[in-house]
Amino acid sequence: MRLGGGKYATTGLRAGQSLTRRNDAGAAVFKRITLVCLAACLTALPAFAAETPVRVVGVELPPLIMSTPYGSTGIIVDIVKTAFRRANLKVDIAIEPWARAYASVRDGEGDALIPTIRSTEREALFDFPDEPVFKSEMSFFRSSRKPIAWSGKLADVQARRFVKLRAALFAPEFDAAVREGRIACEETNSFASAIRMVDADRVDLAAVPKLAGLQIIAAEGLQGRVAALDPAFYVQNFFIAFSRKNALTSQRQKVDSQLAAMWKDGTIAAIIDDYRKRNWLPPSTSEALPH
């Protein structure tokens, strides 16, 4: 008995086989397309990772590092941005309080810290380039109402009351004297606060980077009230320090190479001179010494 007619009445199995083959062929094509797309994505991953910006955290330190509504700026910020651009690396710079910025990079949340001073203790926590980003005069600031005899030697002022930035280094001889208890030194959360403590006669001297102190005096209208002892106590190298937890050796080497070239070809001196021309910046002979 014939159960039906038509083209596939006696060849139903062959029709099913034909449909299965077509489905298998489509699945194979789809699989090949999927594998090609996956391979392309995997190939692109290293390039994408290389484009991830290095997260640099800085402390507010006008005119070296400043936060504005339009982003970070300042002499050190411009030097860092130029070094990264010349190294073909992307960088994001955020401004945070010193203690938070330091902990962020130490713990690997941030990638690099500006500015920081090199020390044996910090070498274990951070990966330092050979080249500094800036060379800063470090000065003691006094009340203009209190003349202090000063020849540039710490022994001249060792009996005075000091204030410095909390958990920050200043100069090797001064830091050792504070650590060993040979100098009475309070700590505060900002350089501006340190300058105000001098003006309020709460301490005799504030240990502050010279340009930062002069900028604070101008911004807060303290001219004629607070002044830097002359000459500066020390010329300190400021570095960009990379986190040891984030595998940034290659980036550190590239930035280090560019910083060396920038010191040599005059780029850093030109950036400083540009700030002197455009902004308030006191004349100085030592903030960008060649080396």
Side-chain angles (χ1 to χ4, degrees), residues 60 65-74 81 95 275:
E60 185 88 19
I65 302 173
M66 299 177 284
S67 178
T68 76
Y70 310 101
S72 57
T73 188
K81 287 180 177 178
I95 310 299
Y275 268 82

Side-chain angles (χ1 to χ4, degrees), residues 8-35:
Y8 298 112
T10 59
T11 59
L13 182 59
R14 290 180 183 175
Q17 287 176 333
S18 177
L19 289 172
T20 301
R21 286 174 186 151
R22 275 183 279 180
N23 288 338
D24 289 344
V29 170
F30 179 77
K31 184 177 181 180
R32 283 197 297 272
I33 292 173
T34 301
L35 290 173

Side-chain angles (χ1 to χ4, degrees), residues 20-176:
T20 301
R21 286 174 186 151
R22 275 183 279 180
N23 288 338
D24 289 344
V29 170
F30 179 77
K31 184 177 181 180
R32 283 197 297 272
I33 292 173
T34 301
L35 290 173
V36 169
C37 291
L38 181 60
C41 291
L42 291 174
T43 302
L45 279 177
F48 176 80
E51 291 297 317
T52 302
V54 175
R55 298 161 298 169
V56 175
V57 187
V59 61
E60 185 88 19
L61 188 62
L64 305 179
I65 302 173
M66 299 177 284
S67 178
T68 76
Y70 310 101
S72 57
T73 188
I75 295 172
I76 287 179
V77 169
D78 285 2
I79 291 170
V80 168
K81 287 180 177 178
T82 301
F84 272 78
R85 184 177 68 250
R86 288 171 54 152
N88 294 316
L89 296 170
K90 290 187 175 181
V91 62
D92 284 339
I93 300 179
I95 310 299
E96 295 183 1
W98 168 251
R100 187 188 306 165
Y102 186 94
S104 170
V105 178
R106 179 196 62 201
D107 298 338
E109 296 174 9
D111 292 322
L113 177 67
I114 53 172
T116 187
I117 296 170
R118 200 170 197 155
S119 70
T120 301
E121 178 186 0
R122 290 178 181 179
E123 287 278 4
L125 301 173
F126 305 112
D127 188 11
F128 284 85
D130 292 330
E131 302 294 331
V133 295
F134 190 74
K135 297 186 175 186
S136 173
E137 290 181 300
M138 309 298 277
S139 292
F140 297 130
F141 286 79
R142 65 171 177 85
S143 168
S144 300
R145 303 182 297 277
K146 287 188 173 182
I148 294 177
W150 173 247
S151 67
K153 299 183 183 300
L154 189 61
D156 296 340
V157 293
Q158 195 156 332
R160 300 283 182 171
R161 300 167 299 156
F162 286 82
V163 62
K164 73 178 189 70
L165 185 66
R166 192 178 311 281
L169 299 177
F170 182 74
E173 184 184 2
F174 176 81
D175 296 333

Side-chain angles (χ1 to χ4, degrees), residues 186-203:
E186 298 183 38
E187 292 190 333
T188 189
N189 290 326
S190 71
F191 290 122
S193 173
I195 294 293
R196 288 193 291 267
M197 287 173 69
V198 167
D199 183 52
D201 199 26
R202 291 175 54 190
V203 295

